[in-house]
Short mmCIF file of all heavy atoms in Angstrom, two decimals:
data_model
loop_
_atom_site.label_atom_id
_atom_site.label_comp_id
_atom_site.label_asym_id
_atom_site.label_seq_id
_atom_site.Cartn_x
_atom_site.Cartn_y
_atom_site.Cartn_z
N PRO A 29 -99.88 39.93 -51.83
CA PRO A 29 -100.54 41.14 -51.14
C PRO A 29 -101.99 41.23 -51.67
O PRO A 29 -102.28 41.32 -52.89
CB PRO A 29 -99.56 42.31 -51.58
CG PRO A 29 -98.22 41.72 -51.79
CD PRO A 29 -98.64 40.41 -52.46
N GLY A 30 -102.82 41.51 -50.77
CA GLY A 30 -104.15 41.79 -51.08
C GLY A 30 -105.01 40.60 -51.54
O GLY A 30 -106.25 40.81 -51.83
N GLY A 31 -104.44 39.44 -51.34
CA GLY A 31 -105.12 38.20 -51.75
C GLY A 31 -105.53 38.12 -53.26
O GLY A 31 -106.55 37.54 -53.57
N GLY A 32 -104.62 38.63 -54.11
CA GLY A 32 -104.85 38.64 -55.48
C GLY A 32 -104.54 37.37 -56.19
O GLY A 32 -104.42 36.31 -55.51
N ILE A 33 -104.37 37.29 -57.49
CA ILE A 33 -104.04 36.06 -58.16
C ILE A 33 -102.77 35.58 -57.93
O ILE A 33 -101.70 36.45 -58.22
CB ILE A 33 -104.36 36.26 -59.70
CG1 ILE A 33 -105.65 36.86 -59.99
CG2 ILE A 33 -104.25 34.94 -60.52
CD1 ILE A 33 -106.90 36.16 -59.53
N HIS A 34 -102.45 34.42 -57.61
CA HIS A 34 -101.20 33.94 -57.28
C HIS A 34 -100.47 33.65 -58.59
O HIS A 34 -101.13 33.12 -59.60
CB HIS A 34 -101.21 32.68 -56.46
CG HIS A 34 -99.90 32.24 -55.85
ND1 HIS A 34 -98.84 31.74 -56.53
CD2 HIS A 34 -99.47 32.50 -54.53
CE1 HIS A 34 -97.82 31.57 -55.71
NE2 HIS A 34 -98.24 32.00 -54.44
N PRO A 35 -99.17 33.98 -58.79
CA PRO A 35 -98.42 33.69 -60.04
C PRO A 35 -98.51 32.25 -60.42
O PRO A 35 -98.63 31.87 -61.61
CB PRO A 35 -97.02 34.01 -59.74
CG PRO A 35 -97.17 35.09 -58.62
CD PRO A 35 -98.27 34.73 -57.77
N LEU A 36 -98.67 31.29 -59.49
CA LEU A 36 -98.81 29.94 -59.78
C LEU A 36 -100.01 29.58 -60.47
O LEU A 36 -100.14 28.90 -61.49
CB LEU A 36 -98.72 29.14 -58.40
CG LEU A 36 -98.91 27.59 -58.59
CD1 LEU A 36 -97.59 26.98 -59.36
CD2 LEU A 36 -99.08 26.86 -57.24
N THR A 37 -101.07 30.31 -59.96
CA THR A 37 -102.36 30.12 -60.75
C THR A 37 -102.42 30.57 -62.24
O THR A 37 -102.89 29.97 -63.09
CB THR A 37 -103.51 30.93 -60.04
OG1 THR A 37 -103.55 30.55 -58.56
CG2 THR A 37 -104.92 30.63 -60.61
N ARG A 38 -101.81 31.83 -62.38
CA ARG A 38 -101.73 32.38 -63.66
C ARG A 38 -100.87 31.42 -64.59
O ARG A 38 -101.22 31.11 -65.66
CB ARG A 38 -100.92 33.81 -63.67
CG ARG A 38 -101.81 34.81 -62.98
CD ARG A 38 -101.13 36.16 -63.09
NE ARG A 38 -101.88 37.16 -62.31
CZ ARG A 38 -102.72 37.90 -62.69
NH1 ARG A 38 -103.29 37.65 -63.93
NH2 ARG A 38 -103.33 38.74 -61.93
N TYR A 39 -99.75 31.04 -64.09
CA TYR A 39 -98.83 30.24 -64.92
C TYR A 39 -99.47 28.89 -65.21
O TYR A 39 -99.60 28.56 -66.38
CB TYR A 39 -97.53 29.91 -64.17
CG TYR A 39 -96.56 29.12 -64.88
CD1 TYR A 39 -95.64 29.72 -65.96
CD2 TYR A 39 -96.50 27.69 -64.80
CE1 TYR A 39 -94.91 28.91 -66.55
CE2 TYR A 39 -95.70 26.95 -65.53
CZ TYR A 39 -94.89 27.50 -66.47
OH TYR A 39 -94.01 26.64 -67.13
N VAL A 40 -100.03 28.16 -64.28
CA VAL A 40 -100.56 26.89 -64.52
C VAL A 40 -101.73 26.90 -65.44
O VAL A 40 -101.93 26.18 -66.40
CB VAL A 40 -100.91 26.13 -63.22
CG1 VAL A 40 -101.74 24.87 -63.41
CG2 VAL A 40 -99.70 25.87 -62.36
N MET A 41 -102.73 27.84 -65.21
CA MET A 41 -103.90 27.96 -66.01
C MET A 41 -103.55 28.39 -67.45
O MET A 41 -104.10 27.85 -68.38
CB MET A 41 -104.94 28.90 -65.38
CG MET A 41 -105.55 28.30 -64.18
SD MET A 41 -106.10 26.60 -64.28
CE MET A 41 -107.34 26.75 -65.71
N ASN A 42 -102.58 29.33 -67.58
CA ASN A 42 -102.25 29.70 -68.97
C ASN A 42 -101.62 28.52 -69.56
O ASN A 42 -101.91 28.20 -70.92
CB ASN A 42 -101.26 30.87 -68.94
CG ASN A 42 -101.75 32.16 -68.69
OD1 ASN A 42 -103.01 32.35 -68.97
ND2 ASN A 42 -101.12 33.11 -68.14
N TYR A 43 -100.82 27.73 -68.96
CA TYR A 43 -100.17 26.59 -69.55
C TYR A 43 -101.17 25.49 -69.98
O TYR A 43 -101.20 24.91 -71.12
CB TYR A 43 -99.13 25.96 -68.47
CG TYR A 43 -98.08 25.03 -69.08
CD1 TYR A 43 -96.94 25.62 -69.46
CD2 TYR A 43 -98.32 23.78 -69.19
CE1 TYR A 43 -95.89 24.78 -69.93
CE2 TYR A 43 -97.36 22.89 -69.73
CZ TYR A 43 -96.09 23.35 -69.96
OH TYR A 43 -95.11 22.61 -70.45
N ILE A 44 -102.13 25.17 -69.03
CA ILE A 44 -103.14 24.26 -69.35
C ILE A 44 -104.03 24.64 -70.43
O ILE A 44 -104.50 23.80 -71.32
CB ILE A 44 -103.90 23.90 -68.08
CG1 ILE A 44 -102.97 23.19 -67.03
CG2 ILE A 44 -105.03 22.87 -68.40
CD1 ILE A 44 -103.73 22.95 -65.69
N ALA A 45 -104.36 25.95 -70.48
CA ALA A 45 -105.24 26.46 -71.65
C ALA A 45 -104.59 26.28 -72.95
O ALA A 45 -105.27 25.90 -73.91
CB ALA A 45 -105.57 27.92 -71.30
N PHE A 46 -103.29 26.50 -72.95
CA PHE A 46 -102.61 26.31 -74.20
C PHE A 46 -102.51 24.85 -74.53
O PHE A 46 -102.69 24.46 -75.76
CB PHE A 46 -101.16 26.89 -74.23
CG PHE A 46 -101.02 28.37 -74.46
CD1 PHE A 46 -100.81 29.31 -73.48
CD2 PHE A 46 -101.32 28.75 -75.79
CE1 PHE A 46 -100.68 30.68 -73.75
CE2 PHE A 46 -101.08 30.17 -76.04
CZ PHE A 46 -100.81 31.08 -75.07
N LEU A 47 -102.29 23.94 -73.50
CA LEU A 47 -102.35 22.55 -73.78
C LEU A 47 -103.68 22.07 -74.34
O LEU A 47 -103.76 21.22 -75.17
CB LEU A 47 -102.06 21.78 -72.45
CG LEU A 47 -100.53 21.68 -72.04
CD1 LEU A 47 -100.56 20.95 -70.65
CD2 LEU A 47 -99.72 21.03 -72.98
N ALA A 48 -104.78 22.76 -73.94
CA ALA A 48 -106.07 22.28 -74.45
C ALA A 48 -106.20 22.51 -75.90
O ALA A 48 -107.05 21.80 -76.56
CB ALA A 48 -107.22 23.01 -73.69
N ASP A 49 -105.47 23.48 -76.50
CA ASP A 49 -105.59 23.68 -78.03
C ASP A 49 -104.93 22.40 -78.76
O ASP A 49 -105.12 22.25 -79.88
CB ASP A 49 -104.73 24.85 -78.39
CG ASP A 49 -105.34 26.12 -77.86
OD1 ASP A 49 -106.58 26.12 -77.69
OD2 ASP A 49 -104.63 27.14 -77.75
N TYR A 50 -104.13 21.56 -77.97
CA TYR A 50 -103.53 20.34 -78.54
C TYR A 50 -104.28 19.10 -78.11
O TYR A 50 -103.67 18.13 -77.91
CB TYR A 50 -102.02 20.30 -78.19
CG TYR A 50 -101.18 21.35 -78.73
CD1 TYR A 50 -101.01 22.57 -78.09
CD2 TYR A 50 -100.51 21.21 -79.80
CE1 TYR A 50 -100.20 23.61 -78.51
CE2 TYR A 50 -99.63 22.25 -80.35
CZ TYR A 50 -99.59 23.44 -79.57
OH TYR A 50 -98.68 24.40 -80.09
N GLY A 51 -105.58 19.19 -77.70
CA GLY A 51 -106.35 18.18 -77.01
C GLY A 51 -106.23 16.83 -77.80
O GLY A 51 -106.04 15.87 -77.20
N ASP A 52 -106.49 16.95 -79.12
CA ASP A 52 -106.43 15.69 -79.88
C ASP A 52 -105.04 14.98 -79.97
O ASP A 52 -104.94 13.81 -79.86
CB ASP A 52 -106.94 15.90 -81.28
CG ASP A 52 -108.44 16.28 -81.33
OD1 ASP A 52 -109.15 15.93 -80.29
OD2 ASP A 52 -108.89 16.98 -82.33
N THR A 53 -104.05 15.91 -80.04
CA THR A 53 -102.74 15.47 -80.19
C THR A 53 -102.28 14.85 -78.91
O THR A 53 -101.70 13.71 -78.78
CB THR A 53 -101.70 16.60 -80.56
OG1 THR A 53 -102.09 17.12 -81.83
CG2 THR A 53 -100.29 16.11 -80.63
N LEU A 54 -102.60 15.43 -77.72
CA LEU A 54 -102.31 14.93 -76.38
C LEU A 54 -103.05 13.58 -76.18
O LEU A 54 -102.52 12.71 -75.48
CB LEU A 54 -102.65 15.98 -75.42
CG LEU A 54 -101.57 17.13 -75.19
CD1 LEU A 54 -102.30 18.28 -74.31
CD2 LEU A 54 -100.41 16.62 -74.53
N ALA A 55 -104.28 13.56 -76.60
CA ALA A 55 -105.08 12.38 -76.50
C ALA A 55 -104.40 11.15 -77.14
O ALA A 55 -104.37 10.05 -76.61
CB ALA A 55 -106.51 12.45 -77.04
N ASP A 56 -103.79 11.46 -78.20
CA ASP A 56 -103.03 10.35 -79.00
C ASP A 56 -101.77 10.00 -78.16
O ASP A 56 -101.43 8.83 -78.21
CB ASP A 56 -102.67 10.81 -80.41
CG ASP A 56 -102.00 9.83 -81.19
OD1 ASP A 56 -102.47 8.67 -81.21
OD2 ASP A 56 -100.87 10.16 -81.86
N ILE A 57 -101.12 10.96 -77.70
CA ILE A 57 -99.76 10.66 -76.96
C ILE A 57 -100.00 9.94 -75.65
O ILE A 57 -99.19 9.09 -75.39
CB ILE A 57 -99.18 12.04 -76.72
CG1 ILE A 57 -98.58 12.59 -78.06
CG2 ILE A 57 -97.92 11.86 -75.82
CD1 ILE A 57 -98.09 14.05 -77.92
N VAL A 58 -101.10 10.33 -74.90
CA VAL A 58 -101.31 9.67 -73.60
C VAL A 58 -102.38 8.57 -73.64
O VAL A 58 -102.95 8.23 -72.58
CB VAL A 58 -101.54 10.83 -72.61
CG1 VAL A 58 -100.39 11.73 -72.44
CG2 VAL A 58 -102.85 11.53 -72.78
N ALA A 59 -102.68 8.02 -74.81
CA ALA A 59 -103.79 7.16 -74.93
C ALA A 59 -103.63 5.89 -73.92
O ALA A 59 -104.72 5.48 -73.48
CB ALA A 59 -103.89 6.70 -76.37
N ASP A 60 -102.54 5.49 -73.80
CA ASP A 60 -102.30 4.21 -73.00
C ASP A 60 -101.59 4.70 -71.62
O ASP A 60 -101.04 3.72 -71.17
CB ASP A 60 -101.43 3.15 -73.80
CG ASP A 60 -100.10 3.78 -74.19
OD1 ASP A 60 -99.91 4.97 -74.08
OD2 ASP A 60 -99.25 2.94 -74.55
N TRP A 61 -101.78 5.87 -71.25
CA TRP A 61 -101.20 6.26 -69.90
C TRP A 61 -102.21 6.16 -68.91
O TRP A 61 -103.32 6.59 -69.04
CB TRP A 61 -100.73 7.73 -70.15
CG TRP A 61 -99.63 8.06 -69.27
CD1 TRP A 61 -98.97 7.33 -68.48
CD2 TRP A 61 -99.23 9.47 -69.07
NE1 TRP A 61 -97.95 8.17 -67.83
CE2 TRP A 61 -98.13 9.38 -68.22
CE3 TRP A 61 -99.62 10.65 -69.62
CZ2 TRP A 61 -97.50 10.59 -67.67
CZ3 TRP A 61 -98.95 11.82 -69.16
CH2 TRP A 61 -98.01 11.78 -68.28
N PRO A 62 -101.84 5.54 -67.74
CA PRO A 62 -102.81 5.26 -66.70
C PRO A 62 -103.38 6.63 -66.13
O PRO A 62 -102.61 7.63 -65.98
CB PRO A 62 -102.15 4.69 -65.54
CG PRO A 62 -100.95 3.93 -66.27
CD PRO A 62 -100.61 4.81 -67.41
N LEU A 63 -104.71 6.83 -65.88
CA LEU A 63 -105.29 7.89 -65.37
C LEU A 63 -105.16 8.09 -63.78
O LEU A 63 -105.29 7.03 -63.18
CB LEU A 63 -106.82 8.00 -65.79
CG LEU A 63 -107.06 8.30 -67.19
CD1 LEU A 63 -108.55 7.95 -67.50
CD2 LEU A 63 -106.87 9.78 -67.57
N ASN A 64 -105.05 9.27 -63.32
CA ASN A 64 -105.16 9.54 -61.88
C ASN A 64 -106.56 9.36 -61.43
O ASN A 64 -107.45 9.98 -62.21
CB ASN A 64 -104.47 10.76 -61.54
CG ASN A 64 -102.99 10.93 -61.85
OD1 ASN A 64 -102.26 10.11 -61.29
ND2 ASN A 64 -102.55 11.71 -62.72
N PRO A 65 -106.78 8.66 -60.39
CA PRO A 65 -108.24 8.58 -59.88
C PRO A 65 -108.80 9.93 -59.47
O PRO A 65 -108.12 10.53 -58.52
CB PRO A 65 -108.21 7.56 -58.78
CG PRO A 65 -106.77 7.73 -58.36
CD PRO A 65 -105.90 7.96 -59.53
N LEU A 66 -109.86 10.44 -60.07
CA LEU A 66 -110.45 11.60 -59.63
C LEU A 66 -111.76 11.32 -58.83
O LEU A 66 -112.49 10.50 -59.13
CB LEU A 66 -110.88 12.47 -60.86
CG LEU A 66 -109.86 13.33 -61.52
CD1 LEU A 66 -110.29 13.86 -62.77
CD2 LEU A 66 -109.41 14.52 -60.56
N PRO A 67 -111.86 12.10 -57.69
CA PRO A 67 -113.23 11.91 -56.93
C PRO A 67 -114.44 12.24 -57.84
O PRO A 67 -114.36 13.22 -58.50
CB PRO A 67 -113.04 12.88 -55.75
CG PRO A 67 -111.69 13.24 -55.69
CD PRO A 67 -111.17 13.13 -57.09
N GLN A 68 -115.35 11.30 -57.93
CA GLN A 68 -116.44 11.59 -58.81
C GLN A 68 -117.26 12.86 -58.39
O GLN A 68 -117.82 13.48 -59.21
CB GLN A 68 -117.38 10.44 -58.85
CG GLN A 68 -118.42 10.42 -59.93
CD GLN A 68 -119.11 9.11 -60.09
OE1 GLN A 68 -118.68 8.07 -59.71
NE2 GLN A 68 -120.20 9.13 -60.77
N SER A 69 -117.21 13.16 -57.10
CA SER A 69 -117.92 14.29 -56.65
C SER A 69 -117.24 15.62 -57.12
O SER A 69 -117.80 16.68 -57.31
CB SER A 69 -117.89 14.31 -55.01
OG SER A 69 -116.56 14.42 -54.60
N TYR A 70 -115.92 15.49 -57.49
CA TYR A 70 -115.20 16.64 -58.00
C TYR A 70 -115.38 16.85 -59.47
O TYR A 70 -115.68 17.90 -60.03
CB TYR A 70 -113.73 16.49 -57.65
CG TYR A 70 -112.81 17.49 -58.45
CD1 TYR A 70 -112.83 18.81 -57.97
CD2 TYR A 70 -112.14 17.25 -59.60
CE1 TYR A 70 -112.02 19.78 -58.68
CE2 TYR A 70 -111.28 18.13 -60.30
CZ TYR A 70 -111.40 19.46 -59.83
OH TYR A 70 -110.56 20.33 -60.43
N TYR A 71 -115.37 15.60 -60.22
CA TYR A 71 -115.41 15.79 -61.69
C TYR A 71 -115.87 14.47 -62.25
O TYR A 71 -115.48 13.32 -61.92
CB TYR A 71 -113.97 16.04 -62.27
CG TYR A 71 -114.00 16.05 -63.78
CD1 TYR A 71 -114.69 17.03 -64.47
CD2 TYR A 71 -113.50 14.99 -64.46
CE1 TYR A 71 -114.75 17.13 -65.77
CE2 TYR A 71 -113.55 15.03 -65.84
CZ TYR A 71 -114.19 16.10 -66.52
OH TYR A 71 -114.18 16.14 -67.96
#
């Protein structure tokens, strides 16, 4: 209602923000994991 923040947005962004605190650890875990192709215009 009212076009406010969707619960999915809150959940996902809170989750990813917490994941970012483990950036170095995650980098080690997924070091040899194939990357999803991102449009260069996006990122």
Side-chain angles (χ1 to χ4, degrees):
I33 311 299
H34 199 283
L36 180 67
T37 307
R38 294 184 187 277
Y39 180 87
V40 171
M41 289 310 302
N42 282 337
Y43 199 93
I44 297 175
F46 277 109
L47 281 179
D49 291 338
Y50 297 86
D52 292 339
T53 303
L54 281 170
D56 181 52
I57 292 173
V58 302
D60 56 348
W61 204 12
L63 287 165
N64 294 300
L66 276 170
Q68 191 166 344
S69 59
Y70 169 76
Y71 176 73

